[in-house]
Amino acid sequence: MGLLLRFSSCFLSLMVLFPALCTSQDTFVSSRATYFGSPDCLGNPRGACGYAEYGRTVYDGNVGATSKLWKYGAGCGACYQVRCKIPQKCTDEGVIIVITDHGASDNADLILSASAFAKLSRPNTALELLAYGVVDIEYKRVPCQYPGYNLMAKVHEHSKFPEYLAIVFIYQAGSYDILAVEFWQEDCKEWRPMRRAYGTVWDTTNPPRTALTVRCQIISAGAADGVKWVQLNDVVPSEWKAGVAYDTAVQFN
């Protein structure tokens, strides 16, 4: 039962439509950032987005957790440029991070991996910056870029063939948030909703026994294009396997 007992899908589907999703972030927002410790300075493989190992190493380990930008899981996979504001210790360009987890700390909008936090610094000042623990920053939403990768649908490790299927979208380029996912039920000739189990994990019981065609309802960060649907044909094969990522042949950007 696992993922099926985690959250109410109706509640989450409604909440992600909050106005926060419809605001543009063309300018930097002032805030604070801290970092979480790990033996290898990377992310958390049990992060709340459901990315597992991908959430540790994506973008060279430049990942972060957030509460304010979480958007009930729709904020998973979003990229932000982060710059710290300590003269003589911080670079002008900062670092680009990917949201892979949920968390809050010390009035900070972002909790970075130690690796990402160190990259805010100028050469030879990383240890000094890490010693601060928490620093003043500014950040803004930027498009994610994954050269050479299409959007991929990974079958979550908790999936149980053939009666329970959960998928996670990875390598999500551009500046789009996923609001809803539906799959095509061929025998009924209708689209059926998948549940946002948690983070960016979408699941269903008794999935079709044929290759799975899904469509994603997405919105751009600035809502310039409005809400739209993107269809992904035969994105998961009929004989799918837990833990395997399948190429959608599509990218959002």
Side-chain angles (χ1 to χ4, degrees):
M1 300 177 64
L3 299 179
L4 289 171
L5 300 178
R6 297 290 295 269
F7 295 97
S8 167
S9 60
C10 294
F11 175 76
L12 292 179
S13 297
L14 289 172
M15 294 299 284
V16 296
L17 293 175
F18 268 1
L21 285 175
C22 300
T23 57
S24 175
Q25 191 175 311
D26 295 326
T27 58
F28 283 93
V29 175
S30 294
S31 183
R32 286 151 51 91
T34 184
Y35 64 94
F36 50 83
S38 66
D40 53 11
C41 300
L42 300 178
N44 177 12
R46 295 176 297 279
C49 285
Y51 287 138
E53 192 64 22
Y54 168 89
R56 285 170 36 81
T57 58
V58 62
Y59 261 52
D60 294 327
N62 298 330
V63 300
T66 184
S67 176
K68 180 178 179 179
L69 307 172
W70 177 244
K71 303 176 186 176
Y72 298 92
C76 290
C79 290
Y80 292 87
Q81 181 182 1
V82 184
R83 307 189 302 203
C84 71
K85 295 160 55 173
I86 302 176
Q88 288 77 52
K89 286 189 171 57
C90 300
T91 64
D92 294 334
E93 64 277 7
V95 65
I96 295 177
I97 61 104
V98 184
I99 299 299
T100 60
D101 204 351
H102 179 274
S105 176
D106 199 19
N107 296 316
D109 285 353
L110 293 168
I111 308 172
L112 308 183
S113 65
S115 172
F117 194 90
K119 290 174 185 175
L120 297 171
S121 67
R122 294 184 182 277
N124 303 315
T125 63
L127 291 178
E128 296 176 47
L129 194 66
L130 288 165
Y132 279 85
V134 182
V135 295
D136 291 328
I137 62 158
E138 55 184 12
Y139 66 86
K140 70 175 181 179
R141 181 80 178 262
V142 296
C144 294
Q145 298 181 17
Y146 297 103
Y149 284 93
N150 292 320
L151 179 71
M152 301 188 77
K154 179 185 176 183
V155 177
H156 196 278
E157 287 80 359
H158 289 174
S159 298
K160 302 294 183 183
F161 184 83
E163 66 270 14
Y164 172 66
L165 173 65
I167 58 175
V168 182
F169 292 103
I170 59 177
Y171 299 112
Q172 181 181 325
S175 299
Y176 289 93
D177 297 330
I178 299 177
L179 303 182
V181 177
E182 298 179 344
F183 67 89
W184 179 249
Q185 187 78 42
E186 178 62 27
D187 54 353
C188 299
K189 302 298 182 183
E190 65 179 8
W191 291 99
R192 292 191 170 179
M194 298 188 75
R195 185 186 69 138
R196 187 190 292 275
Y198 70 96
T200 189
V201 179
W202 300 88
D203 69 0
T204 186
T205 55
N206 300 314
R209 299 301 177 92
T210 59
L212 192 72
T213 290
V214 303
R215 64 179 184 177
C216 299
Q217 187 185 53
I218 63 175
I219 187 171
S220 66
D225 302 323
V227 176
K228 62 182 180 180
W229 289 94
V230 176
Q231 185 167 321
L232 311 173
N233 295 318
D234 299 336
V235 64
V236 175
S238 58
E239 299 292 327
W240 49 264
K241 298 183 183 299
V244 176
Y246 299 99
D247 194 331
T248 70
V250 171
Q251 215 16 305
F252 288 156
N253 60 340

